[in-house]
Amino acid sequence: MGILIVTTYLIAGLSQVSLPSQPVPELKGVQDRLLFSSKPNILPPESFEVFPPPLGEIIEEQCQSVPTGVGIPGFQPGIVKNDVIRMLGAPTGTSRGYWPNTRAVFYELIPEQVSLGFLFDQYSERIRQTEASFQAGVGSDMMLLTLNGMLGCKLNEQIEQGLQQVHQGQTRQYSFQLHSLKGLIQRQKSDRIYIGIWEADLH
């Protein structure tokens, strides 16, 4: 309930804002919780489990082009920057993205509990990579809803099981490929659960 209340509060203050041109001091703490936006973690191609579409149980049949804000919003690659800013407001911080022609944007959505990060293409201003980091005590159902949004509502049974295994400590990380997206679910050293989804041709 607390998460829903906070998110609803964020959405209630919808406004068009401009991203700051320089990183702000709060950025460092958020960067430590997000992997790819500024510091890549290169995985070998054979580490990705590839799923031909559709595989497993699809938990939703349709996905809106822009998140509704129910729970923690999951933004899928392809969504434009203005839609993110319209929903979440001014970011906690920005920086140059690690990958060419990208800009990283970070949100400390719920302090010490939930962080979101995005890599935007500098020319099209589309999301190339979307990230979420959860304190381990956040319920897996909330993580699943967010992950489903990050995947464009194409979460299947195998990926759901991968998240559950990481959440329950059965494995340290789970990587996959679904359509043109690659993903990583990982328990970080800080004991936070990290989810990253990116377009396969990004890195």
Side-chain angles (χ1 to χ4, degrees), residues 1 19 90 112 135 152 169 177:
M1 177 63 73
L19 291 174
E112 305 302 322
Q135 192 272 335
Q177 181 166 352

Side-chain angles (χ1 to χ4, degrees), residues 3-144:
I3 291 176
L4 293 175
I5 291 172
V6 172
T7 306
T8 303
Y9 171 79
L10 288 170
I11 296 168
L14 302 182
S15 61
Q16 190 75 18
V17 298
S18 299
L19 291 174
S21 58
Q22 298 295 327
V24 295
E26 294 87 349
L27 179 60
K28 185 178 184 303
V30 181
Q31 280 182 305
D32 293 340
R33 300 182 184 133
L34 300 170
L35 289 179
F36 290 126
S37 292
S38 57
K39 182 180 178 183
N41 184 1
I42 305 300
L43 297 172
E46 59 270 18
S47 70
F48 290 91
E49 189 172 352
V50 179
F51 299 122
L55 178 67
E57 178 182 353
I58 304 299
I59 66 172
E60 294 185 36
E61 294 182 357
Q62 296 181 348
C63 187
Q64 297 187 19
S65 59
V66 179
T68 62
V70 177
I72 301 300
F75 294 84
Q76 67 192 75
I79 289 180
V80 296
K81 182 177 70 177
N82 283 346
D83 288 332
V84 175
I85 301 300
R86 189 176 299 116
M87 177 170 288
L88 298 181
T92 302
T94 69
S95 69
R96 176 182 298 178
Y98 179 86
W99 308 105
N101 302 319
T102 59
R103 186 77 179 166
V105 175
F106 305 89
Y107 286 89
E108 187 72 6
L109 197 61
I110 302 177
E112 305 302 322
Q113 293 190 57
V114 181
S115 304
L116 299 181
F118 309 98
L119 270 186
F120 290 102
D121 182 275
Q122 287 186 318
Y123 302 114
S124 67
E125 297 194 330
R126 295 185 311 106
I127 294 176
R128 299 294 315 275
Q129 178 162 309
T130 180
E131 304 174 335
S133 174
F134 299 89
Q135 192 272 335
V138 174
S140 62
D141 287 348
M142 185 63 67
M143 295 183 194
L144 282 170

